[in-house]
Every structure is written in C-alpha cells, then in structure tokens.
Amino acid sequence: MSTETDFGIPAQGGQSPGRQQSSLGTAGARNLSTTTKSQPQMQGISPRWLLRMLPWTQVTGGTYRVNRRLSYKVGGGRVSFVQTGAEVRVVPPTLRELPVFGGFPDEEVLAELAGRFVQREFAAGEVLVERGQPVDEVLLIAHGRVSRLGVGSYGEPTVLGVLADGDHLGLEALVRSDALWEYTARSSTAGTLLALPWPAFQELADRSEALRDQILARLADAHRPQNKRGEAEIAMSAGHTGEFELLGAFVDYELEPREYELSIAQTVLRVHTRVADLYNQPMNQTEQQLKLTIEALRERQEHELINHREFGLLHNADYDQRIQPHSGPPTPDDMDELLSRRRGTRFFLAHPTAIAAIGRESNRRGLYPGSVEVEGRPVPAWRGVPIFSCNKIPISREGTSSILALRTGEDKQGVIGLRPAGIADEYEPGLSVRFTGIDDKAVISYLISAYHSVAVLVPDAVGVLENVDITRPGR
C-alpha cells in the first residue's frame, strides 16, 4: 500500500515518507527484459501405456479379418434386463446370448419366452440351488452376486466361481430332463433373479416348431467332436503300433469370420494467419497448436480402444474370460485367477485407483506385489507381469472398476492394434495432418485424422476382472 510524502506525492514501492528511490525498480526494469517461456502445458496427458505396449499391424483396405477355426459354441454371453420400479424383465433379444438360443431368429417366440420368467428376490447367504438336486428351471441373475460351491478331492468345500449381473444357471434343464445340479449356488449379497420353470418352457416348445428345431440343432452341435474350447476337433491317432489305419483330418474354418473396420478420430485445427505471421517467435504457434491437438487425439484414441462398444476391449472380452472378485476388492487370489486364464499374459491394465487397491489388499496379507523395469522405469507388477495404469478404464458410481489382462502379438494369437499403412499427409503412424485451406476470415485450417482399432485374435487373449470394489478394503 502506497503512502504520501510531506508534499502529498505518493512514495514508490511502499517506502516510508521522506525517502526517495535511489535505483530503478523491478517493475520498470521488466519492460526492457526478455522473459523465458515454457512451451504450452497440458494436464490431460496420461502415460497411454496401451498405445505404447500394443503391437501395431498395418491394415490395407481399412479392414482386418480375423480367421478362426470353426467353433460350435454360440452365445454364452450375458442377458440384459429392464427395470420399472421394483419390476425386472428380460430384454427378449438378449436371450440369444444363452448358448441354446444363439442365432434364434423368431423375435415373437423370444418375447413370449422372456414373459414366462418369474421374478424372485434372494437374501445374502441364501442357498439358491443344491448340489445333486434335479435341474428343473433356468435362473438369470438380474442383480447381486452368487457363488458356485463344489466339493474338493478330499471332501472340502471349494469355490468354483462367482456369478453376477446377467449370468445364468441351469441351462441343462432346457436340453435334458434328467439333469442334476453339479454344484451348490449360494448368494453372497442380496439381489434379484428371474426363473424359467421347465413346464413353462416345455409348453412353449410344444407350440413352436422353430423353437424345437433350435433345441435339436444345439443338441447336435453339442455332440459333434470338439475340443474344450468348443472348436471342431481335428481327428488324429496316437500311441498305435504296426500298420494302423490312420484317421483322415482337416481343419474347418468359420464361414463368417469377424472383420474389424478402422475407426477414426478427427478434428479441425484453426489458426489465424495474423497469429501465425506475427506471434511466431520464439515458438512456432502452429507447431504448438498441432502438438497439443495431437495429444488430445491420442488420449481419445486410447479411450476408444478400451471403451468403444464395437471393438473396445471391455466390450469384446469373451464372457468365459470375465471373472468376478471373491469378496469385492482385488485380492491376490483374484489376480492369480485372472492371470491363470491364459498363457503368456503380457501385462495387466488397471485404473490408478485400482492399482492402489491391489497394493492395499496385498499389504493386508503381508505381501508386496513387487515391480519390473519397463522402458527404464519401475512399474508395479504381479507375478512378474507389469500392471500399467490406464485412467480410461471407467469407475462406476458405486466405486467399482475393471482390471484387464492381455496377451499381445499376432504371432502369440493375442491382442493387436490396427492402423492404416501409408496414408496421405501422414504426420505420425496412423495419423495425418492435411492442410484444407484459408477461409475468407484469414483462418488457416488443418484436418487432423487418427485411424485405429484393436483386434482380439482368439477369445482367451484378453481377460477382465469385473466389478472390482476399489473404495474399501476387504473383510
């Protein structure tokens, strides 16, 4: 705060009255100085480990086709539900996710079938089915967690798996009248399920020839020679002696293999010619604008590889490769189960908060996850497999997230990134910057395009630990 001298003139720099400034102040001196500037900074830049660690395949023609052996396994996914107040109903088309209804074309029959499911509520700890009892209904879990319990080799109880929203039990009831439950199902939380009794299904099957044909076709597929992955078996002989007549064999392929079309992320960068001409030193304005725009596009690119409904990893992981945590938080047991689902896991991918939860649960058991060196820096690891952070993996409002495990590489039958080869005006691999002209307002425009996709070559190349509670420690 300035003061006044004896003559009513304000003193400079807050000096006491009667004292005059004896040298040039810093405020005035700055007018003649040259400042040292940083380049434009951006908070939204993340490590983008997925983009860095994925092996990229150059795609010509904009499409990549994944050829696989013929598989008889159809469906096997999860059913969806719609809720109105306390009432829960099956979304009829999603019944095709059940293997027995895979590819069934009759929408009317599916709608009637969905209407025959009966809603039930269950409490935590309730036994839903008992091992050894007849399977007389199909159960769809609309909400909640259910553990499948079995008996070990020495009579001890074992946990065979955990089921959650959209999972199903008892499909044997639709194809076998004498099927028995091979496990006990007990609820871990309270929830809701929808049950289809055998008589309700049988009455509809008696009236619908299409439904009967569907069941017979699925039974035929089930009895065809196949390996444990559901692929058509390759006949061969082993262990024989003498002049044994060898079996003939061939490898059958899928007739309609999946094709991945390259997706795109685009924007138009605009720079006024006045800015580009006059305010271009010591840093090039266009280069800096371009640099930050590309960073934002790369961030969106990684988000799409994780979350896109058509090709994103979270939506394309096979349902047999999705597991539920045993107690909520990501325990060492959960991480081991996720790791054991595939050979040659290259890395885990998790939200930073989920990585913290993994460390917290390990510490509770007196374990330290350890680390490995990647690109000259230590990275958290589990069983020697690095755990990379990815803030694109969503966290639900309930505080749950997912952890992915990936095997990568075309030669490993894993996950690969897809990008075009040799596009026009390529600025970086898979990204082009194209000058599109100057408008009548003297604004320069550049079209920036990034092409990308990701392909899962075989189903077990990616696994997901779902519904991981990352907000609280385990019990």
Side-chain angles (χ1 to χ4, degrees):
M1 182 175 179
S2 62
T3 57
E4 292 187 348
T5 63
D6 294 339
F7 302 101
I9 301 175
Q12 297 183 18
Q15 300 179 70
S16 59
R19 297 187 59 183
Q20 299 295 325
Q21 182 175 341
S22 60
S23 65
L24 178 65
T26 57
R30 289 184 59 189
N31 292 329
L32 302 183
S33 69
T34 299
T35 61
T36 301
K37 308 171 185 65
S38 73
Q39 293 186 351
Q41 307 298 304
M42 179 177 173
Q43 278 188 303
I45 299 177
S46 67
R48 298 199 292 270
W49 280 109
L50 180 59
L51 296 187
R52 292 158 60 182
M53 301 306 297
L54 270 184
W56 291 88
T57 297
Q58 307 297 322
V59 176
T60 57
T63 303
Y64 184 87
R65 178 182 297 158
V66 178
N67 290 309
R68 293 178 179 170
R69 282 177 59 183
L70 176 64
S71 176
Y72 297 124
K73 185 176 180 182
V74 180
R78 291 182 180 169
V79 179
S80 298
F81 306 89
V82 60
Q83 183 174 2
T84 305
E87 182 185 4
V88 179
R89 301 188 307 278
V90 179
V91 178
T94 66
L95 287 174
R96 295 191 182 97
E97 292 297 330
L98 303 179
V100 72
F101 299 124
F104 186 61
D106 196 324
E107 297 279 354
E108 293 183 2
V109 174
L110 288 178
E112 185 173 352
L113 185 63
R116 293 175 178 245
F117 281 85
V118 180
Q119 181 176 341
R120 295 180 193 166
E121 308 295 328
F122 57 84
E126 182 178 341
V127 175
L128 305 181
V129 301
E130 283 199 49
R131 181 174 177 269
Q133 295 299 311
V135 181
D136 56 2
E137 59 184 0
V138 177
L139 304 180
L140 305 179
I141 302 172
H143 177 66
R145 293 164 54 85
V146 175
S147 297
R148 294 191 300 117
L149 309 176
V151 179
S153 302
Y154 300 96
E156 76 282 4
T158 59
V159 179
L160 303 177
V162 180
L163 306 176
D165 304 3
D167 284 326
H168 53 270
L169 305 89
L171 287 181
E172 302 91 336
L174 302 184
V175 294
R176 289 179 51 196
S177 60
D178 59 346
L180 300 177
W181 289 107
E182 298 179 352
Y183 50 83
T184 296
R186 178 182 295 127
S187 60
S188 305
T189 65
T192 303
L193 62 80
L194 296 176
L196 176 66
W198 166 253
F201 172 78
Q202 186 63 52
E203 193 275 331
L204 180 60
D206 291 340
R207 292 192 290 106
S208 172
E209 183 179 355
L211 187 55
R212 291 197 303 272
D213 292 342
Q214 177 76 13
I215 299 299
L216 291 175
R218 291 294 165 258
L219 284 174
D221 284 347
H223 288 91
R224 291 178 182 174
Q226 54 187 278
N227 62 20
K228 64 180 181 179
R229 302 288 186 181
E231 297 172 330
E233 191 65 83
I234 301 175
M236 62 183 65
S237 303
H240 51 273
T241 59
E243 296 180 355
F244 185 83
E245 184 176 350
L246 299 180
L247 299 174
F250 69 97
V251 180
D252 208 353
Y253 302 131
E254 289 184 352
L255 296 180
E256 298 180 358
R258 178 168 180 179
E259 294 183 347
Y260 292 85
E261 292 187 3
L262 292 181
S263 184
I264 188 171
Q266 286 181 309
T267 189
V268 176
L269 173 64
R270 294 184 173 92
V271 181
H272 200 284
T273 53
R274 185 178 184 182
V275 172
D277 292 341
L278 301 181
Y279 303 95
N280 219 24
Q281 293 295 334
M283 298 175 208
N284 187 297
Q285 288 281 1
T286 303
E287 284 185 5
Q288 296 302 321
Q289 289 280 305
L290 188 60
K291 171 188 170 183
L292 297 185
T293 303
I294 290 175
E295 291 284 359
L297 270 178
R298 292 301 192 193
E299 292 290 327
R300 183 54 184 264
Q301 187 176 12
E302 187 175 63
H303 179 275
E304 295 289 293
L305 297 184
I306 294 289
N307 297 286
H308 196 281
R309 294 199 65 85
E310 294 298 323
F311 59 83
L313 294 176
L314 284 179
H315 295 283
N316 281 266
D318 191 82
Y319 284 102
D320 285 344
Q321 297 297 323
R322 297 171 185 258
I323 61 175
Q324 305 292 324
H326 290 83
S327 61
T331 64
D333 296 333
D334 297 322
M335 295 298 293
D336 282 344
E337 184 174 356
L338 180 61
L339 183 63
S340 67
R341 289 297 182 103
R342 74 205 43 78
R343 58 180 171 83
T345 301
R346 177 75 186 280
F347 59 86
F348 296 101
L349 207 62
H351 192 280
T353 311
I355 296 177
I358 294 171
R360 182 170 60 240
E361 292 305 309
S362 298
N363 293 338
R364 289 182 65 253
R365 299 194 181 191
L367 302 175
Y368 183 71
S371 63
V372 296
E373 186 173 301
V374 180
E375 297 182 357
R377 55 190 288 190
V379 173
W382 183 258
R383 307 292 189 193
V385 179
I387 308 174
F388 295 126
S389 64
C390 179
N391 61 358
K392 315 303 186 306
I393 299 176
I395 298 177
S396 70
R397 289 179 296 180
E398 293 78 19
T400 61
S401 186
S402 299
I403 299 173
L404 290 90
L406 284 80
R407 179 179 69 246
T408 60
E410 210 166 15
D411 58 332
K412 303 292 185 182
Q413 298 183 347
V415 180
I416 58 172
L418 306 176
R419 63 189 179 198
I423 56 177
D425 301 310
E426 188 172 64
Y427 188 83
E428 293 180 357
L431 184 144
S432 68
V433 178
R434 187 168 298 170
F435 173 72
T436 57
I438 305 175
D439 63 15
D440 55 4
K441 296 181 180 179
V443 175
I444 309 171
S445 296
Y446 298 91
L447 175 64
I448 308 175
S449 305
Y451 298 92
H452 56 270
S453 189
V454 61
V456 181
L457 299 186
V458 294
D460 73 345
V462 57
V464 184
L465 179 62
E466 296 184 309
N467 299 319
V468 174
D469 191 340
I470 59 177
T471 61
R472 63 179 178 86
R475 294 183 293 275

